[in-house]
Amino acid sequence: MSAVSLSGKQLAAAIRAEVAEAVAEPVKLAVVLASTDEASAWYVRTISTAAAKAGIDCELVDTKPDADEIAATLHRLSADPTVHGVILQSPLPPGLPPAQQLAGAIDPAKDVDGANPLSLGRLASGQPAFAPATAAAVLALLDHHQVELAGRHAVVVGRSTVVGKPVAHLLLDRNATVTVCHSRTKDLAAITSQADVLVVAAGRAGLITGRHVSPGTTVIDVGTNPTEDGRLTGDVDAASVVPAAAGLSPVPGGVGPVTTAVLLRHTLSAACASIGP
Ligand SMILES: NC(=O)c1ccc[n+]([C@@H]2O[C@H](COP(=O)([O-])OP(=O)(O)OC[C@H]3O[C@@H](n4cnc5c(N)ncnc54)[C@H](OP(=O)(O)O)[C@@H]3O)[C@@H](O)[C@H]2O)c1
């Protein structure tokens, strides 16, 4: 057997088109950038280009790498009625508090990347909240490829507040039976090989190989690891997993493009909620 490729490109294009079609009033997303690293700059350019194509104004707000200044900027943007979505780009430069702590300054109604701890708390307690865009993208990709979740065993590798934990909550909400693994998990392969659906977000290139999956497993690879020759590779060793699993999302071209599209969809939702029915 050979795993079906669970591409995100078609889904991302459909979401972007749906957002572009629905934008009627001015919609603005503000991206706060406190670091100068090239990967962040590249990601912010990607968001900005996708937003422009969908008719969403994307304002880049550079701040000094200073906790007070970042918090003040997030408060100011949260209070600005012309701004509908606010993102704090991470990783932050060394020496600053964790991004989740600073993101507490983002109004949850504008927290389109689900970074404020209140958003995760609401998500965990079943209240309306924006999930982190990557976590929502994982679910959107599974739905797009019609992967059944209710009653199935979903294993999540990674427990970050950005990906692993919110994905686990979203899968639970969809009635999957969820196991979360992390760096202290003993015998990872013994657990992942029991998965019907395996979501990998560890940031370790090639962590998951053929021996970690079973013939019926659908694998979503969230990992994005830079290679020495300037490409991106996932957490899954595709060469050994493709012959062993039922489906695998590629890197690049899987979760990544859907994440950007979901951010735009969240921004539109935030704008619609602020404008009212
Ligand atoms: N495609 C996208 O749109 C997108 C968006 C965000 C992130 N990402 C990528 O997703 C990956 C994860 O991101 P993140 O922010 O969640 O990373 P993170 O904060 O570093 O968390 C990584 C998680 O993986 C676990 N882990 C690390 N090594 C492991 C191992 N050998 N076995 C089992 N678990 C292990 C860690 O366990 P402990 O908790 O025990 O340390 C931790 O919970 C990265 O490659 C990142 O670039 C992609």
Side-chain angles (χ1 to χ4, degrees):
M1 78 171 283
S2 182
V4 173
S5 176
L6 306 175
S7 170
K9 288 184 182 169
Q10 211 186 5
L11 171 62
I15 296 173
R16 288 196 304 266
E18 165 204 303
V19 171
E21 170 93 19
V23 170
E25 315 265 338
V27 176
K28 194 198 267 191
L29 171 66
V31 182
V32 176
L33 188 60
S35 84
T36 54
D37 81 272
E38 185 43 41
S40 290
W42 177 85
Y43 184 57
V44 169
R45 279 196 301 276
T46 305
I47 298 173
S48 179
T49 306
K53 285 188 187 156
I56 292 178
D57 182 16
C58 181
E59 184 190 354
L60 302 186
V61 185
D62 286 310
T63 65
K64 275 191 254 160
D66 172 86
D68 291 341
E69 182 164 332
I70 294 169
T73 304
L74 296 174
H75 279 300
R76 175 177 64 75
L77 293 166
S78 292
D80 181 343
T82 70
V83 173
H84 305 101
V86 180
I87 301 173
L88 173 59
Q89 179 59 34
S90 61
L92 294 171
L96 286 173
Q100 295 93 319
Q101 190 177 321
L102 290 174
I106 302 174
D107 177 351
K110 299 187 180 185
D111 185 24
V112 292
D113 202 14
N116 185 327
L118 277 178
S119 298
L120 184 58
R122 287 183 180 178
L123 201 69
S125 51
Q127 294 176 46
F130 288 114
T134 305
V138 168
L139 271 288
L141 193 60
L142 287 165
D143 286 343
H144 176 70
H145 290 284
Q146 299 176 339
V147 177
E148 185 65 42
L149 295 173
R152 301 186 80 206
H153 186 192
V155 175
V156 181
V157 181
R159 58 175 165 179
S160 73
T161 52
V162 182
V163 193
K165 281 179 185 148
V167 164
H169 288 300
L170 292 171
L171 288 165
L172 265 180
D173 281 350
R174 298 289 297 277
N175 299 314
T177 301
V178 182
T179 303
V180 180
C181 302
H182 45 78
S183 67
R184 306 285 289 272
T185 296
K186 288 189 178 127
D187 200 352
L188 186 65
I191 297 169
T192 57
S193 59
Q194 294 173 35
D196 297 309
V197 176
L198 175 61
V199 179
V200 191
R204 300 279 181 274
L207 174 69
I208 300 298
T209 63
R211 76 183 181 90
H212 292 84
V213 299
S214 298
T217 313
T218 295
V219 186
I220 302 294
D221 189 355
V222 184
T224 51
N225 308 289
T227 61
E228 279 179 6
D229 57 356
R231 293 176 303 113
L232 276 187
T233 185
D235 288 350
V236 174
D237 172 37
S240 65
V241 167
V242 164
L248 171 64
S249 68
V251 177
V255 174
V258 183
T259 297
T260 312
V262 164
L263 259 186
L264 302 181
R265 180 149 76 185
H266 284 179
T267 306
L268 175 67
S269 301
C272 292
S274 77
I275 292 161

